[in-house]
């Protein structure tokens, strides 16, 4: 416990705060299609997803090891750099949540960490070959693979059930969606909770509390699982609306196909240690499912905005992480306090702005767009 200084404790708390934002930012990955098709009621969906995210956190630690000892040189990393990187990731998560864009929490974390280490330790502190191998290549391949798999599965689902009664088909696929959405939640916990585990483990390695090849301790696994599970339970309704209604009008066979394809890709990559974006995988699955149904409408404008967000997530988070690292590096403890206060102020502003047009469990399926109004209307329910 001598290694757990005040700064290390602050970094751990900040990492768990990121994990929390990851949870409500990425709830849509698992449950958006099930909520959109009516397979699950909104609050039931986020409860199931939250519990299974916690369970999934205990299934593997391969992705955590990729982060703690893969993309950056852990011998050069300091807690100050990790703190700065987390600030970049959290602010990007909150900004994209505000506008309802399903960007990648994973890439926000990687970008913030790479930017902070680059500024704090120099370019040699970043293993760019590992960034390409473990992050960029999976980022390109995974949504394409999920989309193709979902397209094929959707086509087959409609061909096989073409002569069946519509009511029976809908009921059967909705029951299947409960299972497939649950598997996505389990896979999400397995992949995304590990990223926070990796960050905390990297922090502990940087101060000598763990050896250089150490995996995450049990208390790290448990706390990361609880943080992402709690965030998931609160429900990122703004992004659920975009993914459930914004990309295409999902029917239950499409929902099952998209979820099954996404689960397969996520669990396979987690086993191999690829820290991919579950957001990109699930979005690719939904687009593929939309293309697989004849005459289905795909809203390419929304898809285009999502792709733009994906492209700028890494550099945007890296920029914030790098600036934060520069302030912390030259300002010491005072710089750390300044960055913490600025980040808290920006986060509070974003949360207040979200209340101008709240999205919640009762209105999440009413429209496919998320907007920010200039004046605050009469509010019904709580914003999320």
């Amino acid at each position: 416990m001598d290694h757990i200084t005040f700064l290390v404790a602050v970094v751990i708390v900040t990492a768990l705060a990121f994990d929390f934002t990851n949870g409500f930012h990425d709830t849509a990955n698992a449950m958006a299609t099930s909520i959109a098709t009516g397979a699950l009621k909104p609050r039931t969906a986020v409860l199931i997803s939250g519990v299974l995210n916690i369970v999934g956190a205990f299934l593997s630690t391969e992705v955590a090891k990729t982060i703690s000892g893969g993309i950056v040189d852990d011998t050069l990393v300091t807690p100050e750099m990790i703190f700065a990187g987390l600030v970049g990731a959290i602010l990007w998560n909150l900004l994209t949540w505000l506008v309802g864009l399903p960007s990648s929490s994973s890439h926000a974390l990687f970008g913030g960490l790479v930017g902070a280490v680059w500024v704090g330790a120099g370019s040699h502190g970043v293993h760019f070959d590992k960034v390409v191998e473990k992050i960029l290549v999976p980022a390109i391949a995974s949504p394409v693979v999920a989309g193709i798999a979902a397209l094929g599965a959707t086509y087959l689902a409609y061909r096989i059930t073409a002569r069946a009664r519509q009511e029976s088909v809908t009921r059967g696929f909705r029951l299947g969606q409960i299972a497939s959405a649950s598997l996505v939640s389990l896979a999400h916990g397995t992949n995304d909770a590990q990223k926070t585990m990796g960050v905390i483990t990297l922090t502990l390695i940087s101060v000598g509390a763990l050896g250089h090849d150490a995996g995450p301790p049990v208390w790290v696994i448990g706390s990361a699982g609880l943080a992402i599970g709690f965030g998931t339970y609160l429900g990122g309704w703004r992004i659920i609306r975009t993914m459930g209604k914004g990309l295409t009008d999902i029917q239950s066979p499409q929902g099952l196909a998209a979820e099954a394809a996404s689960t397969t890709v996520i669990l396979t990559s987690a086993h191999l240690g690829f820290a991919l974006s579950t957001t990109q995988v699930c979005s690719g699955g939904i687009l593929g499912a939309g293309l697989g149904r004849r005459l289905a409408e795909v809203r390419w404008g929304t898809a285009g905005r999502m792709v733009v967000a994906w492209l700028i997530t890494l550099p945007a988070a890296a920029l914030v992480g790098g600036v934060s690292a520069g302030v912390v590096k030259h300002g010491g403890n005072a710089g750390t306090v300044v960055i913490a206060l600025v980040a808290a102020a920006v986060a509070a502003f974003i949360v207040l702005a979200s209340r101008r047009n709240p999205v919640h469990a009762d209105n999440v399926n009413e429209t496919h767009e998320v907007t920010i109004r200039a004046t605050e209307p009469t509010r019904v329910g709580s914003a999320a």
Side-chain angles (χ1 to χ4, degrees), residues 19-114:
D19 207 23
F20 175 81
T21 66
N22 191 348
F24 75 72
H25 194 279
D26 288 4
T27 309
N29 296 344
M31 292 300 175
T33 54
S34 294
I35 292 172
T37 63
L40 287 167
K41 293 182 178 180
R43 296 195 186 280
T44 302
V46 296
L47 175 60
I48 293 173
S49 187
V51 171
L52 289 175
N53 264 278
I54 296 173
V55 175
F58 287 87
L59 296 184
S60 173
T61 59
E62 291 303 316
V63 173
K65 292 176 182 176
T66 294
I67 295 171
S68 63
I71 64 174
V72 295
D73 187 343
D74 58 25
T75 62
L76 300 176
V77 172
T78 65
E80 291 87 351
M81 297 177 200
I82 298 172
F83 171 74
L86 287 167
V87 168
I90 290 172
L91 293 183
W92 183 255
N93 268 359
L94 289 174
L95 179 62
T96 51
W97 164 76
L98 175 66
V99 297
L101 272 179
S103 70
S104 171
S105 297
S106 305
H107 288 182
L109 176 60
F110 302 145
L113 189 59
V114 166

Side-chain angles (χ1 to χ4, degrees), residues 240-255:
I240 288 175
R241 173 181 286 183
T242 299
M243 289 188 71
K245 293 291 185 179
L247 287 173
T248 186
D249 293 319
I250 288 284
Q251 295 181 356
S252 52
Q254 294 168 283

Side-chain angles (χ1 to χ4, degrees), residues 58 77 195 219 236 240 276 308 347 355:
F58 287 87
V77 172
K195 291 156 190 171
W219 69 267
I240 288 175
L276 54 71
V308 170
R355 297 182 181 275

Side-chain angles (χ1 to χ4, degrees), residues 225-382:
L226 287 172
I228 200 170
F230 185 54
T232 300
Y233 174 69
L234 289 184
W237 305 113
R238 306 177 81 81
I239 299 177
I240 288 175
R241 173 181 286 183
T242 299
M243 289 188 71
K245 293 291 185 179
L247 287 173
T248 186
D249 293 319
I250 288 284
Q251 295 181 356
S252 52
Q254 294 168 283
L256 178 60
E259 290 160 0
S262 299
T263 300
T264 303
V265 172
I266 295 168
L267 286 178
T268 300
S269 66
H271 177 70
L272 296 173
F274 293 128
L276 54 71
S277 165
T278 55
T279 299
Q280 292 179 3
V281 173
C282 293
S283 298
I286 291 172
L287 281 173
L291 293 171
R293 178 167 68 92
R294 186 183 178 189
L295 302 180
E297 177 190 4
V298 175
R299 300 183 181 93
W300 292 109
T302 300
R305 289 192 295 274
M306 286 172 51
V307 171
V308 170
W310 295 351
L311 292 175
I312 66 175
T313 291
L314 270 168
L319 178 62
V320 178
V323 171
S324 300
V327 174
V328 171
K329 181 179 180 180
H330 297 291
N333 290 335
T336 302
V337 171
V338 168
I339 290 299
L341 291 175
V342 170
V346 174
F349 174 80
I350 292 173
V351 171
L352 289 175
S354 73
R355 297 182 181 275
R356 294 185 180 279
N357 184 24
V359 182
H360 44 77
D362 298 325
N363 69 2
V364 67
N365 281 336
E366 288 181 4
T367 181
H368 63 79
E369 293 183 346
V370 174
T371 58
I372 307 299
R373 296 173 181 169
T375 57
E376 187 172 354
T378 301
R379 288 181 291 174
V380 180
S382 58

Side-chain angles (χ1 to χ4, degrees), residues 146-285:
I148 292 173
L151 187 155
T154 300
Y155 176 78
L156 288 175
Y158 280 106
R159 285 294 300 270
I160 292 170
T161 61
R163 299 179 183 277
R165 292 178 55 193
Q166 184 62 39
E167 296 81 2
S168 299
V169 171
T170 299
R171 188 182 310 112
F173 276 106
R174 282 181 176 177
L175 289 173
Q177 272 196 276
I178 296 174
S180 60
S182 298
L183 284 174
V184 176
S185 295
L186 191 69
H188 182 264
T190 302
N191 195 281
D192 279 43
Q194 288 190 60
K195 291 156 190 171
T196 297
M197 296 178 209
V199 169
I200 296 176
T201 302
L202 181 60
T203 304
L204 297 174
I205 290 173
S206 71
V207 296
L210 293 174
H212 290 298
D213 296 324
V218 174
W219 69 267
V220 172
I221 297 173
S223 59
L226 287 172
I228 200 170
F230 185 54
T232 300
Y233 174 69
L234 289 184
W237 305 113
R238 306 177 81 81
I239 299 177
I240 288 175
R241 173 181 286 183
T242 299
M243 289 188 71
K245 293 291 185 179
L247 287 173
T248 186
D249 293 319
I250 288 284
Q251 295 181 356
S252 52
Q254 294 168 283
L256 178 60
E259 290 160 0
S262 299
T263 300
T264 303
V265 172
I266 295 168
L267 286 178
T268 300
S269 66
H271 177 70
L272 296 173
F274 293 128
L276 54 71
S277 165
T278 55
T279 299
Q280 292 179 3
V281 173
C282 293
S283 298

